[in-house]
């Protein structure tokens, strides 16, 4: 039986698990530093996140308006409770392949942090990438493993791909910066920052 990544994360949050080490400690602080700096520099107002998880990372972010999406309904319930007093934050369950967004939901910045390599289903992976870039009017920030997909898959929860090959199809965006992982002993994810090409 093949691994079901959505059920895995649903069960993780239902049973009191977390989004993992990447959303805590120095890794969370590193992500917040990079993203908050970009938001301040470019006056970002609206942010959509694909993969809001348990909401711990979000507590460090300075987003004026925020929509968090996640494949796990238990994540949405968790975040809705955690941020129930914060009117600047909204949350919705995300279903890859059933998210038809033709410009209705858009933001200055779309972020996807420590998520892409956990999407083990190929069609869901492609759909998620498509939805990420369609939802952005200016910037996309991916925090993921930059791999060529040739290494064997040894962990059920991780699937590496030739990530740059997939990203090259989004020609209306260009990579403006790649920020290497500061804590290589803790994480193999790097930042890839895109900006939309002006018409």
């Amino acid at each position: 039986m093949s691994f079901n990544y959505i059920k895995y994360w649903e069960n993780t949050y239902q049973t009191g698990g977390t989004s993992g080490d990447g959303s805590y400690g120095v890794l969370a602080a590193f992500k917040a530093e990079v993203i908050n700096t970009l938001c301040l520099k470019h006056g970002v107002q609206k942010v959509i996140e694909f993969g809001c998880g348990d909401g711990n990372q979000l507590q460090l972010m300075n987003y004026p308006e925020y929509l968090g999406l996640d494949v796990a309904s238990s994540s949405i319930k968790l975040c809705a409770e955690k941020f129930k007093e914060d009117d600047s934050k909204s949350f919705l369950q995300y279903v890859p392949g059933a998210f038809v967004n033709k410009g209705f939901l858009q933001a200055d910045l779309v972020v996807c942090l420590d998520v892409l390599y956990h999407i083990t289903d190929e069609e869901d992976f492609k759909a998620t990438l498509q939805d990420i870039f369609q939802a952005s009017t200016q910037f996309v920030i991916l925090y993921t493993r930059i791999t060529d997909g040739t290494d064997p898959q040894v962990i059920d929860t991780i699937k590496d791909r030739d990530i740059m090959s997939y990203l090259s199809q989004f020609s209306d965006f260009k990579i403006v910066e790649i920020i290497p992982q500061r804590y290589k002993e803790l994480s193999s994810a790097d930042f890839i920052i895109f900006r939309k090409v002006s018409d």
Side-chain angles (χ1 to χ4, degrees):
M1 184 176 166
S2 63
F3 177 74
N4 186 317
Y5 77 100
I6 296 177
K7 283 185 179 178
Y8 171 83
W9 288 106
E10 191 70 71
N11 184 62
T12 295
Y13 299 127
Q14 277 182 355
T15 55
T18 72
S19 294
D21 293 343
S23 297
Y24 292 80
V26 294
L27 290 172
F30 174 47
K31 284 189 267 188
E33 177 191 322
V34 169
I35 297 170
N36 286 336
T37 298
L38 182 140
C39 288
L40 186 62
K41 180 180 179 181
H42 296 284
V44 169
Q45 293 300 307
K46 293 179 71 175
V47 177
I48 296 173
E49 179 169 22
F50 283 75
C52 53
D54 63 11
N56 192 71
Q57 180 72 64
L58 181 56
Q59 295 180 45
L60 303 178
M61 300 306 200
N62 302 326
Y63 297 147
E65 290 182 72
Y66 172 88
L67 171 63
L69 306 172
D70 204 282
V71 294
S73 61
S74 49
S75 156
I76 302 305
K77 291 171 186 172
L78 202 62
C79 288
E81 177 61 27
K82 188 173 285 187
F83 298 98
K84 63 184 177 183
E85 304 299 328
D86 187 343
D87 290 340
S88 72
K89 293 177 176 61
S90 300
F91 302 93
L92 287 171
Q93 186 172 2
Y94 171 67
V95 182
F99 182 79
V100 184
N101 177 31
K102 297 182 179 180
F104 189 85
L105 289 176
Q106 287 199 305
D108 308 323
L109 168 65
V110 176
V111 298
C112 185
L113 313 175
D114 276 322
V115 169
L116 290 176
Y117 57 87
H118 286 304
I119 305 174
T120 53
D121 180 88
E122 183 67 11
E123 292 309 310
D124 284 5
F125 177 79
K126 290 177 181 177
T128 303
L129 270 186
Q130 194 73 39
D131 292 337
I132 286 169
F133 282 92
Q134 282 186 343
S136 172
T137 60
Q138 286 190 60
F139 294 97
V140 170
I141 296 181
L142 306 178
Y143 178 83
T144 192
R145 290 157 60 98
I146 302 176
T147 55
D148 61 9
T150 57
D151 290 336
Q153 184 176 343
V154 294
I155 304 173
D156 281 345
T157 59
I158 291 177
K159 181 170 177 58
D160 287 325
R161 298 172 172 88
D162 183 358
I163 187 69
M164 288 304 188
S165 175
Y166 284 89
L167 295 174
S168 66
Q169 69 182 289
F170 301 101
S171 57
D172 49 341
F173 284 82
K174 67 174 182 178
I175 295 175
V176 292
E177 192 172 8
I178 293 177
I179 301 175
Q181 177 56 246
R182 184 181 293 166
Y183 304 99
K184 294 185 185 297
E185 72 282 6
L186 299 178
S187 172
S188 54
D190 303 308
F191 280 102
I192 312 173
I193 301 176
F194 297 81
R195 187 167 195 169
K196 196 161 192 177
V197 179
S198 299
D199 294 330

